[in-house]
Amino acid sequence: MTQPHEGAAEVPVEPVKPPETAGGARHSGKFDAVPKLKRTRVSGTWIAVIVALVVLVFLLVFILQNQDTATVHFLGMSGSMPLAVAMLFSVIAGGAVVALVGGARILQLRKQAKKSRHLQR
């Protein structure tokens, strides 16, 4: 293969050979994939901490922007507190109810799984 240029001598161009790997085998020409790192519990925890911090910042902004006093009535009791704090208490109470129901269901499923493993033996 030669490429003539004006005023230049023709120089033969040889094709480039791929480098040989250990053992004399030729390289496939494809890029070697970088090994994918496994996710660990620590990395999952790190992501959860970052998400929790972002949520807490938004919660703090919400509380600081909603300082209007609200009167709250519950089970015959009444009191006044900032609106955001009252809403925060209601969210915490709702989360506690969901956690209790979910925990009861998990215990129920564990008991059922233990019983079925015992019967399979």
Side-chain angles (χ1 to χ4, degrees):
M1 301 176 120
T2 61
Q3 297 181 355
H5 296 283
E6 284 186 38
E10 289 187 16
V11 178
V13 178
E14 294 184 25
V16 178
K17 295 180 183 177
E20 293 191 16
T21 59
R26 287 192 168 194
H27 192 271
S28 67
K30 296 180 182 177
F31 291 105
D32 292 333
V34 177
K36 190 172 183 179
L37 297 176
K38 282 184 155 184
R39 290 188 179 186
T40 62
R41 288 184 184 176
V42 174
S43 67
T45 303
W46 182 248
I47 291 171
V49 166
I50 292 171
V51 170
L53 285 174
V54 170
V55 169
L56 285 175
V57 167
F58 281 122
L59 187 61
L60 181 63
V61 170
F62 175 76
I63 289 172
L64 292 175
Q65 288 181 345
N66 291 287
Q67 290 293 320
D68 298 335
T69 302
T71 303
V72 179
H73 302 278
F74 182 69
L75 296 176
M77 300 179 287
S78 65
S80 62
M81 62 179 66
L83 177 62
V85 175
M87 292 178 74
L88 180 62
F89 282 148
S90 67
V91 168
I92 291 171
V97 169
V98 169
L100 286 173
V101 172
R105 180 65 178 151
I106 288 171
L107 289 175
Q108 183 184 37
L109 290 172
R110 282 185 182 174
K111 185 177 179 182
Q112 186 178 11
K114 187 176 180 180
K115 186 184 289 186
S116 67
R117 276 192 305 239
H118 182 68
L119 291 176
Q120 289 177 353
R121 290 183 184 186

